Every structure is written in C-alpha cells, then in structure tokens.
Amino acid sequence: MSAFPVTRLRRMRRSAALRSLVRETRLDLDAFVMPLFVGPDTKPNPELPPLGRFSVEELVGEVEGLVRLGVPAVILFGIPEEKDDEGSGAWDDDGIVQRALRALRAEAPGLTLLTDVCLCEYTEHGHCGTLDGDTVANDETLESLVRTAVSHVEAGADAVCPSDMMDGRVGAIRSALPEVPIVSYAAKYASAFYGPFREVAEAAPSFGDRRGYQMDPANAREALRECALDLEEGADVLMVKPALPYLDVIRAVRERFDSPVWAYQVSGEYAMVRAAADAGHLEEQRAALEALTAIKRAGAGTIVTYWAKDLARWL
C-alpha cells in the first residue's frame, strides 16, 4: 500500500484540527473592549494615541466614531479636576465618570458601558484605597468602593469592574448591587507594564508601591485562589491583568473555572509594540494581531485592548 493515503489522511486530520483552532481563536470585534480616559480637558498623546484623555464633550465624539466602526464596549477611567486623600471624586454624583456616563448613555444607547472601580486616579497619594499611615486600609476602603460602584450604575454603567484588589470588595459591591454584572480584576499583578497608563491617569503612587495588595508576578497558584474567592463573593467575570506576560495564568483560570475569562492587554504591552514598530523593527498590525491571537488562544473570551479602535478597521 502506498504511503499517499496515509499522508493524505494525516493532512486531513491536521486541517480539521487547524479549522477547529481557528474557530476557537478567531479575532472577532465583539470580543474586544476599548479603554477610554476622561478628564476635565482633552490632552492628546501623540506617541500613544489611545492613551490620550478626553473632556466629556470630546469623549462623546470619540465614542460616536467607535460606534460607527462597530466597537461594542468601552471601559471608562476618570481623572478628576481635584484629588484628595480619600479619593472622594470617585463617588461624586457630579464626578467626571458620572458625567461621562450620562452623556454617553444619551448619545450611544446601544454601547456597553463599563467602568473601572478604583481610587488610585482620585487620591492625592495615588494608592488604590484609604490610608492608615503608610498602609492601605483594606476594610475602610470597601465602603468607598461600594459608593463608587453604586454611583456609576446610577449614572448609566452597564457593569462595574473593581480593579483595586482589596479583599472582600466583590462581596461588598454585590451586596449593594445584586443585579449588576461585576467584572472582577481577580488576578491583577504588581507589574512593570502599567507605566503609560499611570502617566495618563496621573495615578502613580507618591510613595512605595502596590505590592502590598497586588499580586506577586512569580505566584500563579494565588491567582486561582483569588479567582475562586471572587466567584464565591458574586463576580460574574474574571479578569487577568496584564495579559501577555501571564498567558499561563489565563490558561489556568480558563481550565479551572466555568465563568467568563477576560484579559487586559495593558498599556506597556501596547507601548512596546508601538515603539518597536516606530523604530522599524516590526510591523504593528501583524504584531498586534499575533499578540491578541495568543491571548485569545490562551483562553480569554474578551480582551480589553488599546488596539480595539484599530481592530475595527483591520478586521
């Protein structure tokens, strides 16, 4: 018997497997969320355009363009005009995110509006919660996070995304908002890849760092424990952040839990590819699509990415 039929069969099997893989990891625009920054005024970022910030009025125009392109969802980050030790601008009914939500809900009723729930953009010290001396006070911070989440929903948010990494914050928010989807940053690492975000959000800690409440990059098992706890407290979605340096964590979370798994391709990941492309070392579109495919292949059903607007054109 000739080897040809066997070779052909192997090719057919590989082709079938490949088709299945492509279906599983196909990049579809519905699986992406665009991060947007809103502040008292517009500040473009020529080097990293998606990491510029918009006034509320300019934000409405930007979002109208995203809707026309087919981007299905955005997540809002607010930069207040004034900050204080408590981060009270986070839950102000007339706060920057609350005003943006009301404006966007009126102008883009079909767009899914998510909000980041954290205090780092609103505190003078840049930490994600209330301080007790030089330490973030976990339990005292929970009340502020709940007030923030409730104010976002009252202003028009479809879902809230607590990113602070305080223990018990999902349960506290769930008690106050029993019917609202919670996208929990369940596995958020103390990463070196947040730099560009902290610049635009003006949220770098004024002292110390966030390793006391964000996760150790060397620890993968802790991520699974954190995810389990957040699901017990009522989270609807588990987020892993950053994405590319933690593909193994995304895969582990996907295999362990039945809930939706998201990943945040953070500002440093985006900036690295942009810088390499600007230097002529690689082609941005191909590199971006390859990186996003890797994140999808690892198990993320939805990806928060600064390439979402570009993807709407590329795909």
Side-chain angles (χ1 to χ4, degrees):
M1 181 177 178
S2 132
F4 176 76
V6 176
T7 304
R8 184 178 179 184
L9 179 60
R10 287 173 178 165
R11 287 175 180 168
M12 290 174 64
R13 287 173 176 167
R14 284 199 296 268
S15 297
L18 179 60
R19 286 195 297 272
S20 175
L21 178 63
V22 169
R23 282 197 297 271
E24 180 184 350
T25 61
R26 188 183 302 279
L27 298 181
D28 188 301
L29 193 56
D30 286 343
F32 295 99
V33 178
M34 180 73 188
L36 292 170
F37 300 88
V38 58
D41 53 10
T42 296
K43 288 187 176 181
N45 188 333
E47 293 183 357
L48 304 171
L51 285 141
R53 84 181 191 195
F54 299 92
S55 66
V56 172
E57 294 75 15
E58 295 284 345
L59 181 71
V60 170
E62 176 69 10
V63 165
E64 288 175 344
L66 293 174
V67 170
R68 285 194 297 271
L69 288 169
V71 174
V74 300
I75 180 169
L76 298 180
F77 298 87
I79 301 96
E81 190 166 358
E82 296 182 359
K83 305 188 180 197
D84 58 32
D85 283 343
E86 294 183 343
S88 61
W91 61 84
D92 187 342
D93 288 339
D94 195 39
I96 190 66
V97 166
Q98 289 79 357
R99 287 190 281 123
L101 285 166
R102 288 191 287 269
L104 295 178
R105 182 54 67 215
E107 298 297 328
L111 183 70
T112 299
L113 298 176
L114 304 105
T115 61
D116 178 73
V117 176
C118 192
L119 303 183
C120 61
E121 299 105 309
Y122 301 89
T123 56
E124 289 181 332
H125 47 74
H127 279 283
C128 298
T130 304
L131 292 183
D132 180 6
D134 290 340
T135 304
V136 174
N138 187 100
D139 294 349
E140 287 80 352
T141 299
L142 298 184
E143 181 181 353
S144 299
L145 296 171
V146 170
R147 293 175 69 182
T148 301
V150 169
S151 73
H152 288 178
V153 172
E154 290 176 345
D158 294 300
V160 293
C161 310
S163 65
D164 55 282
M165 290 299 286
M166 298 297 116
D167 294 338
R169 89 271 202 220
V170 172
I173 293 171
R174 175 55 70 216
S175 295
L177 298 169
E179 303 297 329
V180 175
I182 297 175
V183 178
S184 172
Y185 289 65
K188 181 178 179 181
Y189 283 86
S191 172
F193 288 89
Y194 300 146
F197 174 97
R198 290 178 179 175
E199 290 179 12
V200 64
E202 301 174 2
S206 60
F207 65 91
D209 54 42
R210 295 177 180 154
R211 285 181 290 182
Y213 43 97
Q214 293 179 356
M215 291 173 49
D216 178 2
N219 196 332
R221 284 179 291 183
E222 183 185 6
L224 299 179
R225 291 195 294 269
E226 292 285 351
C227 288
L229 289 170
D230 283 1
L231 288 175
E232 289 175 7
E233 292 180 15
D236 299 286
V237 177
L238 301 171
M239 179 100 80
V240 178
K241 178 182 182 182
L244 278 178
Y246 299 93
L247 294 178
D248 60 321
V249 176
I250 295 171
R251 171 53 63 185
V253 173
R254 172 68 284 156
E255 291 177 346
R256 177 71 64 89
F257 304 105
D258 291 331
S259 67
V261 177
W262 290 21
Y264 197 137
Q265 188 185 47
V266 300
S267 59
E269 298 174 62
Y270 173 80
M272 285 194 303
V273 174
R274 282 298 301 262
D278 290 344
H281 297 315
L282 50 76
E283 181 186 335
E284 180 185 352
Q285 180 176 336
R286 289 187 61 191
L289 292 174
E290 187 173 340
L292 290 164
T293 298
I295 297 166
K296 195 82 164 55
R297 190 178 64 241
T302 297
I303 304 172
V304 181
T305 176
Y306 298 95
W307 272 298
K309 185 177 181 178
D310 293 314
L311 282 164
R313 302 188 184 98
W314 296 341
L315 297 179

